[in-house]
């Protein structure tokens, strides 16, 4: 579906006419990201992050495919193939590796902003639930991909991270240990685990790419929401995607690349853990096993569950950690407020910012050693995290009196620009 | 009845997690009150490395080749008895300014030889190193396995400063205050050495740099202990990332280009949107 005033594709060049009448791919592109897709005129920069996530995905695919050409997936050879072969001997191999490792971090920065944008502006609400659901699926796939990628260089954190994460499965009652051994192909991470992680790490990004196509398809049915959350009412509310948003996204991409390059070229190890420059050693456990920064909030939730209550503490931790993400699937039905944008929801807006602070606190605790003070803070912050989604949001969507909404996007724009 | 259940299921699930967290929190707080976490020796005595400035630091940092050569001499004469440098090849030394002939000689004269397996005799023998060989592994009979040093400055927080502080930190003793809490630190266990920069405080490595002039510098630099230690730290920054200078230079060009591109795309954005209120 598209708005009735969407421009129609009329190929001018005979070659394009020839192609378009046989395979309407040019038409498809035109309607997806060209002048044929009308977009609200008032999108702010937070709406750049979907495209940036796409750029990050493409960067990861390209650097990853070339890295795979030089990687040896064996417990004996992986560390060397990365730290000698790729880092020293392959031409510009250091660039590929730093770009891929920091690209994962940039991907998560962008995705977290993209998700919080969705939370603030109520983008998950009808009629965009499917966009959101696919987003959560993508997020889960992304986490799995990043985890398996981190195991590949077979450093100390790779090995012990794999040990801890696959340990989650042993929390499953009765069959847990068996499941873990089956998943790893052994009692501890070794060649079998490394090879299957490599295989899946190569596969999943393409699954993500497929899910992204569905995500954007689903988005293009109702079209993008916007900072007011008021739906498009007429042609004056929209501009064609091209050239308006290609220009704006182009600027966003360049700014993204500046931040990305600063990391790659001037602080390539900033976000990594020094221990991963030590080859995996199954006999020596690192003093503090920590995952990559983008998993810290979830790691804090996992470690916050220290009490056995009906179920063992570890099982609670694992359930809560997965639950903290799975509950996002239900969000469109937990938040009953008909108003989308947080800008018009005085109570929700406060709850949103408390949630942002809460996740940052969880992240900080998850990256710190499991000392009592950090555990206590994580316990409070984790409780708030669940309270936010399962109690606070459902309740305030009943209690709150929203501020009056603008009559239309254009009205809001004109009010803001003072005309 | 069922619809009430479905309506309240979110509160039940949320409540369950919060209840379990509250129980866990109660346990943690009780734990802290009744058994306050004990002061640890590491917490009282461990020190962060002293700051160290090297030519390779910063956005435009370049290696000081003469310092790298001195650092290599320190590694060769002192560290290499126990620590390998297995990710580096002899041929890489050309980066430090050594000629082909010099590299060949360094490889040939290297104390630890390359192991070779004699297929016919079924025995292991040795041969001299050649430039294409990696620095050979070192087999160490003593306590603890000395780590390979190729990546050591990346494998520790603030690695170069850490190496320098560790090598020059053997003179420091635990404070009187710390000894009151941990009297066992008055005497270091046999075969161990107190060093506040080492994570476990007692390290098996004996002080490697013990007197000025221990290494013969040929470039006129005085081989004091801090000088040798700084030089070997600089050398180990190079071994950990020989491509660092290329990275800095490429980064500058890339950022320069992108900042230029940012002006262009900003201009394009402004002109496309001119006249459209948003
Ligand atoms: C590879 C990962 C992803 C890519 C490439 C991607 C791409 C995009 C793009 C291009 C848009 C339209 C532009 C924009 O609104 O920013 C979009 C919109 C959206 N995305 Fe994503 N996305 C990804 C992951 C996610 C995730 C993890 C979520 C949430 C869990 C999510 C939720 C949404 C929502 C709700 C919208 C609609 C926003 C609105 O119109 O208000 N996306 N996505």
């Amino acid at each position: 579906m598209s708005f009735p005033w969407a421009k129609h594709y009329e190929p001018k060049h005979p070659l394009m006419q020839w192609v378009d009448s046989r395979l309407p791919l040019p038409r498809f592109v035109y309607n997806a990201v060209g002048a044929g897709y009308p977009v609200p005129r008032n999108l702010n920069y937070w709406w750049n992050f979907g495209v940036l996530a796409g750029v990050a995905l493409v960067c990861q695919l390209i650097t990853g495919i070339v890295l795979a050409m030089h990687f040896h997936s064996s417990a004996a050879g992986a560390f060397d193939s990365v730290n000698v072969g790729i880092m020293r001997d392959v031409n510009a191999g250091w660039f590929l590796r730093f770009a891929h490792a920091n690209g994962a971090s940039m991907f998560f920065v962008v995705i977290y902003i993209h998700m919080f944008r969705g939370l603030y502006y109520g983008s998950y609400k009808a009629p965009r639930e499917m966009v959101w659901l696919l987003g959560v699926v993508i997020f889960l796939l992304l986490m799995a991909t990043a985890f398996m990628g981190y195991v590949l260089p077979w450093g100390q954190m790779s090995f012990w991270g794999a040990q801890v994460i696959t340990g989650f499965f042993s929390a499953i009652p009765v069959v847990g240990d068996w499941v873990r051994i089956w998943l790893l192909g052994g009692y501890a991470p070794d060649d079998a685990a490394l090879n299957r992680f490599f295989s899946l790490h190569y596969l999943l990004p393409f699954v993500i790419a497929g899910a992204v196509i569905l995500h954007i398809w689903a988005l293009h049915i109702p079209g993008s929401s916007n900072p007011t959350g008021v739906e498009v009412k007429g042609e004056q509310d929209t501009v064609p995607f091209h050239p308006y948003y290609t220009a704006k996204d182009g600027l966003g991409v360049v700014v993204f690349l500046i931040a990305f390059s600063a990391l790659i070229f001037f602080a390539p190890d900033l976000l990594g853990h020094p221990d991963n420059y030590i080859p995996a050693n199954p006999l020596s456990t690192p003093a503090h096993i920590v995952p990559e920064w983008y998993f810290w909030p979830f790691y804090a939730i996992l470690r916050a569950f220290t009490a056995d209550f009906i179920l063992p503490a570890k099982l609670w931790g694992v359930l809560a950690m997965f639950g903290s993400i799975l509950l996002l699937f239900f969000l469109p039905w937990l938040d009953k407020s008909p108003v989308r944008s947080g800008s018009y929801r005085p109570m929700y807006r406060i709850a949103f910012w408390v949630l942002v602070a809460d996740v940052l606190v969880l992240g900080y605790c998850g990256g710190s050693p499991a000392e009592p003070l950090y555990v206590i803070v994580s316990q409070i912050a984790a409780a708030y995290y669940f309270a936010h989604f399962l109690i606070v949001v459902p309740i305030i969507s009943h209690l709150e009196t929203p501020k009056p909404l603008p009559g239309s996007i254009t009205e809001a724009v004109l009010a803001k620009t003072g005309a | 009845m069922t619809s009430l259940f479905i309506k309240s299921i979110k509160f039940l699930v949320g409540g369950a997690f919060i209840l379990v967290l509250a129980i866990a929190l109660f346990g943690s707080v009780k734990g802290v009150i009744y058994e306050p976490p004990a002061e640890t020796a590491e917490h009282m005595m461990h020190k962060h490395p002293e700051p160290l400035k090297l030519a390779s630091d910063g956005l435009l940092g370049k290696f000081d080749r003469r310092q790298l050569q001195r650092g290599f001499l320190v590694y060769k004469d002192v560290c290499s008895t126990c620590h390998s440098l297995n990710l580096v090849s002899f041929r890489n030394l050309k980066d430090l300014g050594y000629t082909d002939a010099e590299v060949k000689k360094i490889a040939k004269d290297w104390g630890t030889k390359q192991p070779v397996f004699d297929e016919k005799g079924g025995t292991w023998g040795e041969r001299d190193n050649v430039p294409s060989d990696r620095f050979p592994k070192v087999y160490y009979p003593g306590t603890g396995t000395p780590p390979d040093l190729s990546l050591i400055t990346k494998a520790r927080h603030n690695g170069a400063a850490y190496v320098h502080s560790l090598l020059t930190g053997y003179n420091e003793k635990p404070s009187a205050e710390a000894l009151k809490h941990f009297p066992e630190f008055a005497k270091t266990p046999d075969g161990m050495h107190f060093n506040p920069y080492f994570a476990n405080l007692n390290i098996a490595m004996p002080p490697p740099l013990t007197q000025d002039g221990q290494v013969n510098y040929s470039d006129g630099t005085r081989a004091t202990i801090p000088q040798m230690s700084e030089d070997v730290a600089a050398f180990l920054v190079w071994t950990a990332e020989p491509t660092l200078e290329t990275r800095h230079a490429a980064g500058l060009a890339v950022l320069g280009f992108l900042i230029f591109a940012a002006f262009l795309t900003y201009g394009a954005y402004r002109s496309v949107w001119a006249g459209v209120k948003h």
Side-chain angles (χ1 to χ4, degrees), chain B residues 151-231:
Chain B
L151 287 173
I152 201 79
T153 54
K154 280 188 186 279
R156 301 287 183 276
H157 280 290
N158 199 0
Y162 170 76
V163 168
H164 179 56
S165 288
L166 187 79
L167 293 180
T168 50
Y170 282 90
N171 297 328
E172 301 188 29
K173 294 275 161 277
S175 68
E177 171 67 17
L179 283 179
K180 246 193 273 159
H181 283 80
F182 299 98
E184 67 274 24
F185 275 85
K187 194 185 164 298
T188 338
D190 278 346
M192 300 298 261
H193 309 270
F194 181 79
N195 192 319
Y197 299 99
F198 187 61
N200 298 338
L201 301 173
N202 285 325
I203 182 169
M205 171 168 77
L209 299 172
T210 47
Q211 50 179 327
D212 291 351
Q214 192 176 342
V215 175
N216 236 330
Y217 282 169
S218 54
D219 67 353
T221 312
R222 254 171 52 81
T224 61
I225 292 178
Q227 181 69 44
M228 290 184 288
S229 138
E230 188 182 316
D231 290 347

Side-chain angles (χ1 to χ4, degrees), chain A residues 333-369:
Chain A
W333 297 277
L334 289 168
D335 181 356
K336 289 268 190 308
S337 168
V339 176
R340 295 192 186 87
S341 172
S343 306
Y344 302 96
R345 300 186 56 193
M347 290 167 101
Y348 178 76
R349 194 167 145 160
I350 296 170
F352 170 84
W353 287 112
V354 175
L355 178 74
V356 172
D358 187 64
V359 172
L360 291 176
V361 168
L362 279 173
Y364 184 80
C365 292
S368 305

Side-chain angles (χ1 to χ4, degrees), chain A residues 43 46-55 57 107 111 114-115 117-118 121-124 128 131-139 142 208 212 215-216 219-220 223-226 328:
Chain A
L43 300 189
W46 301 117
W47 264 261
N48 278 49
F49 285 84
V51 164
L52 294 182
V55 171
L57 178 63
F107 206 154
I111 281 292
H114 188 64
M115 292 172 72
R117 184 285 313 264
Y121 290 109
S123 299
Y124 47 84
R128 295 182 188 78
V131 186
W132 176 259
L133 298 182
L134 286 163
V136 180
V137 170
I138 293 172
F139 182 56
L142 197 61
I208 293 176
V212 166
H215 181 71
I216 295 171
L219 175 70
H220 281 35
S224 286
S225 182
N226 68 86
L328 295 176

